[in-house]
């Protein structure tokens, strides 16, 4: 089908930055994204890891994105990548994050109050190992499950957040849901502004 032949955003970006990657240079690229664009960053990270090994890429690749990201935005994204998204994102945001920086905020023209609305879906940062995230809005359920090293700021989370977390720092500027921190054996969670701390 045509969809199978159509290049993914990762493939488009790789075509544009191949010379920058080889030279370990620095580049900023602007793109729009839609919810059929899934796992953005995984293929780019695979290429960087294949060429330079684990976290040895010395350059920087920044994607300035607008739109709605599909599932697994920033999945397995490695050191040297920075994704700055103006919009929102589906489930599995930052799954297995491996050193990259992810930033998400509402579009400038949006009328809703960021800290009162979901901006990313469920199971964000599942199994993430390193990197940082700045989320201008609330996350769904199962936020930071099995996080072992990412530092993240978010403005509220749903049920089962920080479950089985072993490392990293979660700074939650807002409410938490039920069953917070179940099986959490490491890392630090700071909760600021929660109305009901009986959810542990």
């Amino acid at each position: 089908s045509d969809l199978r032949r159509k290049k993914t955003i990762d493939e488009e970006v790789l075509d544009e930055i191949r010379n920058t990657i080889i030279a370990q240079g620095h580049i900023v690229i602007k793109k729009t994204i839609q919810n059929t664009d899934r796992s953005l960053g995984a293929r780019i990270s695979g290429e960087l890891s294949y060429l330079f090994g684990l976290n040895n890429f010395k350059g920087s690749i920044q994607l300035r994105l607008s739109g709605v990201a599909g599932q697994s935005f920033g999945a397995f994204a490695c050191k040297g990548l920075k994704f700055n998204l103006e919009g929102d994102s589906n489930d599995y945001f930052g799954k297995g994050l491996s050193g990259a920086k992810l930033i998400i905020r509402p579009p400038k023209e949006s009328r809703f109050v960021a800290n009162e609305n979901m901006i990313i879906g469920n199971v964000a940062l599942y199994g993430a190992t390193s990197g940082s995230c700045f989320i201008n809005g609330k996350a769904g359920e199962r936020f930071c499950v099995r996080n072992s090293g990412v530092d993240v700021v978010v403005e509220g989370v749903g049920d089962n957040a920080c479950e089985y977390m072993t490392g990293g720092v979660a700074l939650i500027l807002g409410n938490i849901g039920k069953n917070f921190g179940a099986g959490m054996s490491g890392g630090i969670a700071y909760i600021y502004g929660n109305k009901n701390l009986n959810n542990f």
Side-chain angles (χ1 to χ4, degrees), residues 5-142:
R5 284 195 294 272
K6 187 173 177 271
K7 283 192 172 181
T8 64
I9 286 192
D10 278 54
E11 288 169 325
E12 284 177 16
V13 169
L14 280 170
D15 286 346
E16 291 178 41
I17 66 173
R18 205 160 296 283
N19 291 337
T20 304
I21 289 175
I22 299 302
Q24 298 196 65
H26 308 276
I27 194 166
V28 178
I29 294 176
K30 289 185 178 177
K31 291 270 181 201
T32 55
I33 190 169
Q34 55 191 21
N35 67 358
T36 51
D37 295 317
R38 295 180 292 274
S39 303
L40 176 63
R43 190 166 290 182
I44 299 168
S45 298
E47 190 84 2
L48 294 176
S49 299
Y50 175 76
L51 291 170
F52 303 105
L54 182 64
N55 290 331
N56 289 330
F57 177 64
K58 302 290 188 278
S60 67
I61 298 160
Q62 183 180 159
L63 298 189
R64 291 187 182 162
L65 304 152
S66 60
V68 178
Q71 285 197 347
S72 302
F73 174 79
F76 312 110
C78 67
K79 189 177 172 190
L81 295 179
K82 179 180 178 182
F83 295 166
N84 200 323
L85 173 59
E86 192 176 299
D88 54 33
S89 178
N90 276 273
D91 297 346
Y92 291 100
F93 175 92
K95 175 175 69 179
L97 190 69
S98 301
K101 179 183 278 190
L102 304 181
I103 300 164
I104 184 167
R105 64 185 185 280
K108 290 184 181 75
E109 64 275 10
S110 68
R111 294 180 186 167
F112 64 81
V113 179
N115 66 354
E116 294 175 1
N117 290 275
M118 298 286 179
I119 195 168
I120 60 173
N122 299 318
V123 206
L125 300 167
Y126 179 85
T129 60
S130 59
S132 56
C133 278
F134 301 90
I135 301 158
N136 185 195
K138 292 166 70 173
E141 298 186 358
R142 300 202 176 277

Side-chain angles (χ1 to χ4, degrees), residues 139-143 145 157-162 176-180 199:
E141 298 186 358
R142 300 202 176 277
F143 179 79
V145 172
V157 294
D159 294 347
N160 307 301
C162 299
I176 59 172
K178 295 175 183 172
N179 199 39
F180 183 90
N199 290 327

